[in-house]
Structures are given as C-alpha cells and as structure tokens.
Amino acid sequence: MVFQFIKSSYKKVKSALARARSFLGTKIKSLFSGKIDEHTLEQLEQTLYEADFGVKTASELTKKIRELHLEHPSYKTQDYLNALKTELVKILKSCPSTHREYSELPQVILIVGVNGNGKTTSVAKLANLMVQNGHKVLVGAADTFRAAAIEQLEIWANCLKIDIVKGSPKSDPAAVVFDAVSAAKARQCDVVILDTAGRLHTKTNLMQELEKMRRSCKKVSPHSPHETYLVLDATTGQNAIDQAKQFHHFTPLTGIILTKLDGTAKGGIVIAIQRELGIPVKFIGTGEQIDDLEPFDPEQFVDNLFD
Ligand SMILES: Nc1nc2c(ncn2[C@@H]2O[C@H](COP(=O)(O)OP(=O)(O)O)[C@@H](O)[C@H]2O)c(=O)[nH]1
Ligand SMILES: [Mg+2]
C-alpha cells in the first residue's frame, strides 16, 4: 500500500496525548502507588471507563491487575503499568486487518463522516503525507453540498501544489468522484483522495448516496475504492462508536481516522473503537496543521498514554 513505509513521529504523538496522559497516567500511577485492595481496583475500573476504554476493556484490565496482584504481591507501580501496556498493545494488535492487496494505481481513498469531524482537513493531511513520501496525489472535492468546502480543499491543494478535481456547488458528488478517479488514472497518479460531504449517520438517503459514489469509483477502477476511511472526532466519546456502526452498516469501512486526539483527555476511545467495531484505527489527528496526522502505531500510542 502507498503508506506502508510511513513512520509515526513519537514526539507528535507524545504531545497530542498530553491531556490524556495527565488524566490517565497521573490517576493510575497514584492508584498503584498505594495499597492495592478491592477499593483501588474499583477505582481503576472507573478511571479506565471514564477514559472511554469501554466497559469490556475496563473490566478485563482490572481483572488482569487483580490476578497479577494475587500472584505477585510485591509488584511496584511500574510493574503494573507495564502489564497494562502489554495488555493494551495485545488488544490493539488483535484487530483484524482490512487490507486487501491490489497493486493497481491509482489507489482510491474515500473519506466519509459526519460534519465537522475533520474530513477535509484529513484529506489535506493525508495528501501531504503521501507527497512527502514521493507519491503523486490528486484530490477530489466531492463535497458539493457547500461551496465553502470546495474552496477549503482548493486552498490546501494549491498549498501542496497537487491537482484537484472539483464539481460545481450542488452538482452530483458521484459525478465528481467519477471525474476525479478518471483524471487520476489518466495522469498516472499513485493515489486519489476523495473528500465527501458531512452526512448524519441516521439519514438513510445520504448514506445511500455513498453507495452511488462507490459505484462511480468502480466504473473506473473495479477494485476501488481501495480504502474507505471514516473520520471520527475523538472528543465525542461513545457517539463516535454509534456513528461508526451506522456507517459500517451502509458502506464497508476499511479504517478509521481519529481526529482531535490533542483535544481530549480520553485516549481510551481508540481501544473502544477497534474492539467494538473490529475496524482498525489507521491514522490519528494530532492538531490543526497540515503535518498533524500520524499513522497509528499501537506501541507508541500506549506508551504515551501513561508515561
Ligand atoms: N485540534 C484538532 N483540530 C482538528 C483536527 N482535525 C480537524 N480539526 C479541526 O476541525 C475543524 C473541522 O474540520 P473540517 O476538516 O472542516 O471538518 P469536515 O466538516 O469533516 O470536513 C477544523 O477547524 C479543523 O481545523 C485535529 O486532529 N486536531
Ligand atoms: Mg469538509
């Protein structure tokens, strides 16, 4: 795949997770530094739950710590933290891969999600990552619902010096998708990234429009879209999971871009999303700038969540 060699920046992830770390790391360390009893374990479970890990993970991790305490009464704070980290990395790595190997170019990436989650910004950030890695990129402005959305992507495309294909406001987004993928193919691009209008996951007709866009992709390139990424806002907690379930019901998702991790103290949502949906988090948004997107790396993420 076009991004398999892109490495995540430890520094960026560390700084984006500063809030989550100060909430979670500080609380958990103080819990482990005292005597471990049923009350401490209850508080641990509550803290994990509050950090959006989800009920299942919070209870499993607590059970694990209880067992460890019985087996190794002399364990210190760091031993428990290490055990938590190991368990979390195991959970994150157990998410089945959605990747299908099709070497055809251009690789087509469809970006979907509700309004304001960070779709257009993520399209630009992804394009930037690809350009940095030597790929020829084209973006398609298939959010024809608002003229401002087309302009927003156009500004990014100009700034990145990459091609953009756009339709006129209110035109059929499926037609823009067709034109963008066709142009990318004709211009021998490596990747085409398609921005779409924000849609509420509860509106069936808008969800069906996504299917039409997918059919447009297939008319040009039968295995495409190769990736369909749902953009979720990490600050919305459980609602992000409901959104993902609905989108996945209507259109098969291959990955999640989780934005605004820099704006939340509840980093556990990454684990809840992967576990409850079985869809891998592929990228995380670490800020508003063009280079604030990192490929998701479980070890790096978990490390920076606690220490
Ligand atoms: N702090 C932060 N802000 C983000 C991130 N991603 C997007 N945003 C901001 O979220 C707002 C909505 O983004 P936009 O891409 O227009 O959302 P769209 O409606 O889904 O296309 C903008 O102000 C972005 O700068 C992120 O990772 N971190
Ligand atoms: Mg947008």
Side-chain angles (χ1 to χ4, degrees):
M1 183 46 183
V2 272
F3 7 73
Q4 69 196 15
F5 299 114
I6 302 176
K7 287 265 172 296
S8 179
S9 152
Y10 197 86
K11 210 172 124 204
K12 277 270 174 71
V13 176
K14 186 172 176 113
S15 120
L17 288 177
R19 277 158 164 248
R21 193 165 49 247
S22 80
F23 172 77
L24 201 63
T26 315
K27 260 193 169 171
I28 289 188
K29 274 184 201 159
S30 92
L31 280 178
F32 286 152
S33 64
K35 183 171 160 285
I36 302 214
D37 54 19
E38 267 316 303
H39 180 64
T40 329
L41 291 167
E42 260 170 41
Q43 281 186 312
L44 171 67
E45 188 164 355
Q46 181 66 22
T47 306
L48 292 169
Y49 180 72
E50 282 170 11
D52 277 347
F53 279 83
V55 181
K56 191 173 171 201
T57 307
S59 119
E60 275 181 23
L61 291 175
T62 308
K63 185 166 167 254
K64 180 82 195 172
I65 298 296
R66 181 182 285 113
E67 285 166 6
L68 277 178
H69 176 61
L70 290 175
E71 273 173 47
H72 309 276
S74 60
Y75 259 19
K76 301 271 179 305
T77 308
Q78 198 54 44
D79 300 315
Y80 289 116
L81 273 181
N82 289 345
L84 268 187
K85 285 186 190 174
T86 309
E87 279 305 300
L88 284 171
V89 170
K90 217 193 288 171
I91 292 174
L92 285 170
K93 285 191 165 173
S94 68
C95 190
S97 167
T98 51
H99 185 59
R100 296 157 302 152
E101 198 58 58
Y102 291 116
S103 54
E104 65 193 8
L105 293 178
Q107 289 276 305
V108 180
I109 305 174
L110 186 65
I111 303 291
V112 302
V114 308
N115 243 333
N117 275 6
K119 289 180 299 303
T120 307
T121 316
S122 297
V123 168
K125 289 174 175 179
L126 256 187
N128 177 54
L129 264 187
M130 310 268 178
V131 169
Q132 300 288 323
N133 281 271
H135 297 300
K136 185 172 177 188
V137 185
L138 181 146
V139 289
D143 177 359
T144 55
F145 195 67
R146 290 180 311 126
I150 303 173
E151 284 161 25
Q152 188 188 354
L153 192 60
E154 206 165 19
I155 293 170
W156 284 120
N158 289 341
C159 168
L160 293 169
K161 299 188 175 59
I162 56 173
D163 286 357
I164 177 167
V165 168
K166 54 183 182 165
S168 40
K170 309 288 177 211
S171 65
D172 179 5
V176 180
V177 163
F178 180 83
D179 289 348
V181 180
S182 305
K185 196 172 181 179
R187 296 175 205 175
Q188 296 179 327
C189 292
D190 300 305
V191 57
V192 50
I193 312 173
L194 303 163
D195 189 23
T196 63
R199 61 200 70 236
L200 267 182
H201 49 298
T202 45
K203 291 261 163 64
T204 309
N205 56 332
L206 289 179
M207 298 305 287
Q208 283 162 348
E209 192 183 73
L210 281 181
E211 264 319 293
K212 200 173 161 202
M213 286 190 241
R214 289 173 61 82
R215 285 199 297 276
S216 284
C217 292
K218 291 189 196 310
K219 280 182 201 159
V220 189
S221 176
H223 299 300
S224 72
H226 305 90
E227 304 282 353
T228 302
Y229 290 160
L230 174 67
V231 178
L232 291 176
D233 177 339
T235 65
T236 56
Q238 180 63 38
N239 189 264
I241 295 182
D242 297 337
Q243 287 174 27
K245 282 185 179 157
Q246 284 296 322
F247 270 87
H248 199 45
H249 173 71
F250 282 98
T251 194
L253 303 171
T254 61
I256 306 281
I257 298 180
L258 189 63
T259 62
K260 312 188 195 182
L261 262 174
D262 53 306
T264 179
K266 302 184 168 194
I269 192 71
V270 173
I271 289 101
I273 285 174
Q274 290 213 163
R275 271 210 121 167
E276 290 198 29
L277 306 161
I279 307 167
V281 172
K282 294 278 177 131
F283 293 92
I284 54 177
T286 59
E288 292 193 88
Q289 303 305 313
I290 188 81
D291 54 357
D292 288 335
L293 186 79
E294 298 297 329
F296 180 61
D297 176 328
E299 266 120 0
Q300 205 177 70
F301 181 83
V302 168
D303 242 7
N304 284 311
L305 207 50
F306 296 106
D307 276 348

